[in-house]
Amino acid sequence: MIRQRTLRAGKLTERVLKLFIATGKDEVHSLIQALNIQDVLRNSKIGLICGTHEIKDDEIDIVIGAVSSDMTSFLNEWRPIFSRFHLIIVKDPDLKEELKIPEGFNLDVYTKSDIDRVVGSSTSILFSGYSCRYFGYLVSLKKYIISVDNDCLPARDNKGFLVDAVAQHITNLTTPATPFFFNTLYDPFSEGADFVRGYPFSLRSGVKCALSCGLWLNLADHDAPTQALKTRQRNSRYVDAVITVPARALAPISGINIAFDREVVGPALVPALRLAGEGKFRWETMEDIWSGMCVKVVCDHLGLGVKSGLPYVWRTDRGDAISSLKKEWEGVKLMEEVVPFFQSVRLPRTATTAEDCVVEVAKAVKEQLGSTDPVFARAAGAMLDWVKLWKSVGSSSSPPGV
Amino acid sequence: MIRQRTLRAGKLTERVLKLFIATGKDEVHSLIQALNIQDVLRNSKIGLICGTHEIKDDEIDIVIGAVSSDMTSFLNEWRPIFSRFHLIIVKDPDLKEELKIPEGFNLDVYTKSDIDRVVGSSTSILFSGYSCRYFGYLVSLKKYIISVDNDCLPARDNKGFLVDAVAQHITNLTTPATPFFFNTLYDPFSEGADFVRGYPFSLRSGVKCALSCGLWLNLADHDAPTQALKTRQRNSRYVDAVITVPARALAPISGINIAFDREVVGPALVPALRLAGEGKFRWETMEDIWSGMCVKVVCDHLGLGVKSGLPYVWRTDRGDAISSLKKEWEGVKLMEEVVPFFQSVRLPRTATTAEDCVVEVAKAVKEQLGSTDPVFARAAGAMLDWVKLWKSVGSSSSPPGV
């Protein structure tokens, strides 16, 4: 597909054409005429999208997994940013205490009884701990989901301004991604940025962005060994950039601060890999890393993009990583099997939706990793159950761009 | 090779181990013993390199292509950074006026007569215009080359401090690159940075970095159409990051501000693609874009890394892009053939040095692109001539890491 696209030789994109036309310069106009450059029709199948499409507030759900009970300071700090939107709060079913939630938000809270009612007992999926948020993804009716861990607060940028994480995530999702050629000046659709000399014009339309992965100031998302060794290390580097992760490149996608187009890739964000010793700290989980590799493979297959970078959130300290070290090794070792698997897995052409793709990935997991460790067979089962659940709850996704 | 590496399950890198050991915490020590983690021997063939290796000033040549005659303000501005190093200045053979060079530098100037003497007339390579710097790459005897266009001045960072572009390039080249898995917090070997949770430990040693591509503040490196349309657009976004361009991803590598390990990839930086209408402005050239794709393909094949990002230089305005538009279309159109070619070209295992690889790429260019446009047949010829020249001048490269 890449080859086919890039071989459309000498075709300028609509965006560039419009800019040309907008300049009104006689030389440019006569040049366009001389070169006989035609305006191109958008290919709705591939999903070239329009960055100027206005997103309404009610197209967005903010999903928060409540893994601790007191949500007061979290929600109050986020109030200036979140209060316009509908919130879905899913209480960790293992959490005994009642949630403390401040007034003034438009929100729905889901608890263990809701999960039991919707999901029933005929599933291998566990929604406890950080995985509780996935229940929110399931019951949401909105196009876009934004999800932030409840130990994160709004960050400030280099100039001291509060970062509107929602606005930045939506910008990332509603401007094209460029996975087929790396732009050295980062996201060409950022304000003030553009494509660098040598970037093929046929690839400048980009593809629909399905997943936006934000970053963390203060406490970065390290694994337990790194965290244990560098207890005092803080991330203070505000990198003012968004990047499309290139096609076929995998990344450690963290669920701490993400947004996605639920209609298009929702089912690919799946709570599947659960460590035997999974605990209540991020560094004791792998569910998001697994899901991240799954969604990246699905996006590569469907011709969708994944962006990483802005927005930052401010991640606050908690927990003692040293005591998590014994648990973490399991996850660390599993990665050595998981990465080559996801690097090599290829999906059949018949897989045209995220659901199809997840089913295919699950089959391959069972086949190629199933005998390595029982955790993988369970993950494959959970993925299949998840797709069934997604369909039964009525959230079925459409092929991208439709 | 990727698969093989990542399958070395559960092996921690030397670097992490050292950090573990350095902490001196009893828990960590006993854990290491309990898990029986062994220190791993470095694999000299793959070229895992040591970030702490001290680079001496006399291992570096700064190569400047003099495409305009008055070098006074350029060199004076760079004096605080360049004066410690040996400079190679290559005068564009088309330039009639004598060069004006201020006092106080350790430098050698090469002119048309030197080029004629060394290269002779039995070659298809043209060293005029921006391509004159390649003659400097050829005659250098140093391990590292840094090259900056002479319309660039030292930049200042976000805090207003002068950027030492040489130091940053050398840091990029002497710390490992990580092309096989994307680290969301950018170069994990930058100060204060590390690998993100989920990054496989078996890939954390990284590979030798062979090419460092810096960026531009003020006037970005746009093509003529973009420049012509956005005459007033300036790049003011200082992105404080270095990124390894993932394996198999191509990027528009610009020759404006680069550094490379000449011993390892020197021959892959080749002045091969020359547009019929090539002029004296960057946006009228494609030589560096072609060479950049060539060197990226060679690095991917040899298991070497390419980094992009810091350092910035301040690029000053000149020229009228509108008048270049007619010339530029040729380059823009050629990219549509060039990119799919470089995305699909695969080199044989027998190619173990940069020279071998360039010869193989040249063969493939001739075969696959030769009939499309005469410019490609000429490029293939120039690549073969370049390798011969490189060998005859005595700069032959070694296999990486040896």
Side-chain angles (χ1 to χ4, degrees):
Chain A
M1 195 177 70
I2 295 174
R3 204 180 161 82
Q4 191 190 3
R5 279 162 172 275
T6 42
L7 278 175
R8 289 188 222 143
K11 195 181 285 181
L12 300 186
T13 66
E14 204 180 4
R15 182 166 170 266
V16 174
L17 266 188
K18 280 185 181 159
L19 281 170
F20 264 75
I21 291 157
T23 59
K25 283 187 182 140
D26 285 348
E27 302 97 310
V28 176
H29 278 171
S30 59
L31 200 63
I32 290 171
Q33 287 185 318
L35 290 162
N36 194 26
I37 299 161
Q38 304 294 325
D39 203 334
V40 289
L41 284 172
R42 283 162 186 276
N43 182 339
S44 64
K45 177 73 188 153
I46 302 295
L48 307 182
I49 63 159
C50 179
T52 56
H53 170 55
E54 194 74 38
I55 304 301
K56 297 196 190 85
D57 291 356
D58 67 3
E59 293 180 76
I60 298 168
D61 263 338
I62 305 205
V63 174
I64 309 296
V67 295
S68 56
S69 59
D70 190 349
M71 306 284 281
T72 317
S73 69
F74 170 78
L75 283 173
N76 281 335
E77 292 270 357
W78 281 102
R79 191 182 292 274
I81 295 162
F82 284 176
S83 58
R84 288 161 50 195
F85 302 98
H86 178 249
L87 272 64
I88 291 179
I89 295 182
V90 186
K91 186 185 173 191
D92 175 3
D94 292 346
L95 196 64
K96 299 287 172 258
E97 306 86 45
E98 210 145 305
L99 292 188
K100 282 189 200 165
I101 293 173
E103 294 286 308
F105 289 94
N106 168 23
L107 55 78
D108 288 305
V109 177
Y110 295 87
T111 62
K112 189 167 185 306
S113 61
D114 300 299
I115 295 173
D116 290 345
R117 180 176 46 79
V118 172
V119 175
S121 54
S122 63
T123 174
S124 59
I125 304 165
L126 293 170
F127 287 101
S128 63
Y130 281 104
S131 293
C132 66
R133 74 189 59 207
Y134 292 84
F135 184 77
Y137 304 167
L138 188 69
V139 296
S140 167
L141 299 168
K142 306 295 174 62
K143 181 169 175 59
Y144 298 106
I145 298 270
I146 290 163
S147 188
V148 175
D149 273 9
N150 73 344
D151 58 351
C152 297
L153 301 177
R156 288 184 182 274
D157 68 15
N158 271 333
K159 289 170 187 154
F161 293 114
L162 205 67
V163 172
D164 185 340
V166 175
Q168 180 68 51
H169 273 308
I170 293 299
T171 298
N172 293 350
L173 290 172
T174 55
T175 53
T178 50
F180 303 124
F181 204 79
F182 183 80
N183 194 49
T184 48
L185 280 182
Y186 312 103
D187 189 345
F189 294 96
S190 296
E191 213 185 313
D194 212 315
F195 289 98
V196 168
R197 176 174 57 96
Y199 202 103
F201 275 71
S202 61
L203 294 177
R204 294 190 184 195
S205 303
V207 300
K208 187 194 273 270
C209 179
L211 176 66
S212 164
C213 308
L215 297 173
W216 335 276
L217 287 173
N218 192 37
L219 202 67
D221 186 20
H222 291 142
D223 44 66
T226 307
Q227 188 58 40
L229 285 166
K230 303 184 170 181
T231 48
R232 290 183 192 177
Q233 184 164 306
R234 294 295 176 269
N235 185 30
S236 57
R237 186 179 292 215
Y238 186 94
V239 175
D240 185 19
V242 175
I243 288 169
T244 294
V245 184
R248 304 274 172 236
L250 291 177
I253 291 172
S254 159
I256 292 174
N257 168 26
I258 59 167
F260 57 96
D261 185 326
R262 197 184 133 282
E263 287 177 6
V264 173
V265 290
L269 285 106
V270 45
L273 190 77
R274 177 171 285 265
L275 302 179
E278 178 160 321
K280 299 290 181 182
F281 299 115
R282 262 294 177 207
W283 52 63
E284 295 178 352
T285 67
M286 291 286 289
E287 121 284 317
D288 55 344
I289 302 293
W290 176 276
S291 151
M293 285 197 274
C294 180
V295 75
K296 181 60 167 63
V297 163
V298 170
C299 284
D300 284 345
H301 177 76
L302 295 177
L304 300 166
V306 172
K307 293 185 185 178
S308 177
L310 300 180
Y312 282 90
V313 294
W314 181 268
R315 204 158 164 253
T316 55
D317 298 28
R318 66 192 186 93
D320 170 21
I322 295 272
S323 64
S324 302
L325 273 179
K326 293 224 177 206
K327 293 176 179 173
E328 174 66 18
W329 297 107
E330 187 197 355
V332 162
K333 285 172 187 165
L334 289 176
M335 283 305 289
E336 306 297 329
E337 310 290 333
V338 167
V339 169
F341 167 76
F342 280 104
Q343 279 176 332
S344 62
V345 70
R346 292 292 175 270
L347 309 180
R349 275 165 175 263
T350 48
T352 57
T353 65
E355 282 108 331
D356 296 346
C357 292
V358 173
V359 168
E360 294 296 335
V361 174
K363 279 189 211 163
V365 169
K366 200 175 171 186
E367 209 172 284
Q368 294 173 44
L369 296 177
S371 58
T372 322
D373 193 306
V375 76
F376 296 128
R378 284 197 297 271
M383 290 167 87
L384 294 174
D385 282 350
W386 176 252
V387 172
K388 274 185 219 153
L389 200 54
W390 194 273
K391 285 178 176 168
S392 73
V393 176
S395 314
S396 285
S397 66
S398 341
V402 177
Chain B
M1 194 177 70
I2 296 174
R3 206 179 158 83
Q4 192 190 2
R5 277 163 172 275
T6 42
L7 278 174
R8 288 186 222 147
K11 196 178 288 178
L12 301 186
T13 66
E14 203 179 4
R15 181 166 170 264
V16 175
L17 267 187
K18 280 186 180 158
L19 281 171
F20 265 75
I21 292 160
T23 59
K25 283 186 183 142
D26 285 348
E27 302 95 314
V28 175
H29 277 174
S30 59
L31 198 66
I32 290 171
Q33 285 182 320
L35 290 162
N36 193 27
I37 299 161
Q38 305 292 327
D39 203 335
V40 291
L41 285 172
R42 282 162 186 276
N43 181 336
S44 64
K45 176 71 189 159
I46 302 294
L48 307 182
I49 63 156
C50 178
T52 57
H53 171 56
E54 194 74 39
I55 304 300
K56 297 197 191 85
D57 290 357
D58 67 3
E59 293 180 75
I60 298 166
D61 263 337
I62 304 202
V63 174
I64 309 296
V67 295
S68 57
S69 59
D70 191 349
M71 305 284 280
T72 317
S73 70
F74 170 78
L75 283 172
N76 282 334
E77 293 271 356
W78 280 102
R79 190 182 294 273
I81 295 161
F82 283 176
S83 59
R84 287 160 52 196
F85 302 98
H86 178 248
L87 272 66
I88 291 179
I89 295 180
V90 186
K91 187 184 172 192
D92 174 3
D94 291 346
L95 196 64
K96 299 285 172 259
E97 307 86 47
E98 210 147 306
L99 293 188
K100 281 188 202 168
I101 293 172
E103 293 286 308
F105 289 94
N106 168 20
L107 57 79
D108 289 304
V109 177
Y110 294 87
T111 61
K112 187 167 187 306
S113 62
D114 300 298
I115 296 172
D116 289 345
R117 180 175 46 77
V118 172
V119 176
S121 53
S122 61
T123 175
S124 59
I125 304 165
L126 293 172
F127 287 101
S128 63
Y130 282 104
S131 293
C132 66
R133 72 190 59 207
Y134 292 84
F135 184 77
Y137 304 167
L138 187 71
V139 296
S140 166
L141 300 168
K142 305 295 174 64
K143 180 169 177 58
Y144 297 105
I145 298 271
I146 288 163
S147 188
V148 175
D149 273 10
N150 73 343
D151 57 352
C152 296
L153 302 177
R156 289 183 183 275
D157 67 16
N158 271 332
K159 291 170 186 153
F161 292 115
L162 204 69
V163 171
D164 185 340
V166 174
Q168 180 68 50
H169 273 307
I170 293 299
T171 297
N172 294 350
L173 290 173
T174 56
T175 53
T178 51
F180 303 124
F181 205 77
F182 183 79
N183 194 50
T184 47
L185 280 182
Y186 311 103
D187 188 347
F189 295 96
S190 295
E191 213 182 312
D194 212 316
F195 290 97
V196 168
R197 177 173 57 96
Y199 202 104
F201 274 70
S202 60
L203 295 177
R204 293 190 184 196
S205 302
V207 300
K208 187 194 272 270
C209 180
L211 176 66
S212 164
C213 308
L215 297 174
W216 336 275
L217 287 173
N218 193 37
L219 202 67
D221 186 20
H222 291 144
D223 44 68
T226 306
Q227 187 60 38
L229 285 167
K230 303 185 172 182
T231 46
R232 288 181 192 179
Q233 183 165 305
R234 295 294 176 269
N235 184 30
S236 58
R237 186 179 291 215
Y238 186 92
V239 175
D240 185 18
V242 175
I243 288 168
T244 295
V245 183
R248 305 273 172 237
L250 292 177
I253 291 172
S254 159
I256 292 173
N257 167 25
I258 59 166
F260 57 96
D261 185 327
R262 197 184 132 282
E263 287 177 5
V264 173
V265 291
L269 286 107
V270 44
L273 190 78
R274 176 170 285 264
L275 302 178
E278 179 160 322
K280 300 290 181 182
F281 299 115
R282 262 293 176 207
W283 52 61
E284 295 178 352
T285 68
M286 291 286 289
E287 123 282 317
D288 53 345
I289 302 293
W290 176 276
S291 151
M293 285 198 272
C294 179
V295 74
K296 181 61 168 62
V297 163
V298 170
C299 283
D300 283 344
H301 176 76
L302 296 176
L304 300 166
V306 172
K307 292 185 185 177
S308 177
L310 301 180
Y312 282 90
V313 295
W314 181 268
R315 201 156 165 255
T316 57
D317 298 27
R318 65 194 185 88
D320 170 22
I322 296 271
S323 64
S324 303
L325 273 178
K326 295 225 174 203
K327 293 176 181 174
E328 176 66 16
W329 297 107
E330 185 196 357
V332 163
K333 285 174 187 165
L334 289 176
M335 283 305 289
E336 306 296 329
E337 310 289 333
V338 166
V339 169
F341 167 76
F342 279 105
Q343 280 176 333
S344 62
V345 71
R346 293 292 174 268
L347 309 180
R349 277 167 174 261
T350 48
T352 57
T353 64
E355 281 107 330
D356 295 347
C357 293
V358 173
V359 168
E360 294 296 333
V361 174
K363 280 188 211 164
V365 168
K366 200 175 170 185
E367 210 171 281
Q368 293 173 44
L369 295 177
S371 59
T372 321
D373 192 305
V375 76
F376 296 128
R378 283 196 299 269
M383 290 168 86
L384 295 174
D385 283 350
W386 175 251
V387 172
K388 275 185 218 152
L389 200 53
W390 194 272
K391 286 179 176 167
S392 73
V393 175
S395 315
S396 284
S397 66
S398 345
V402 177

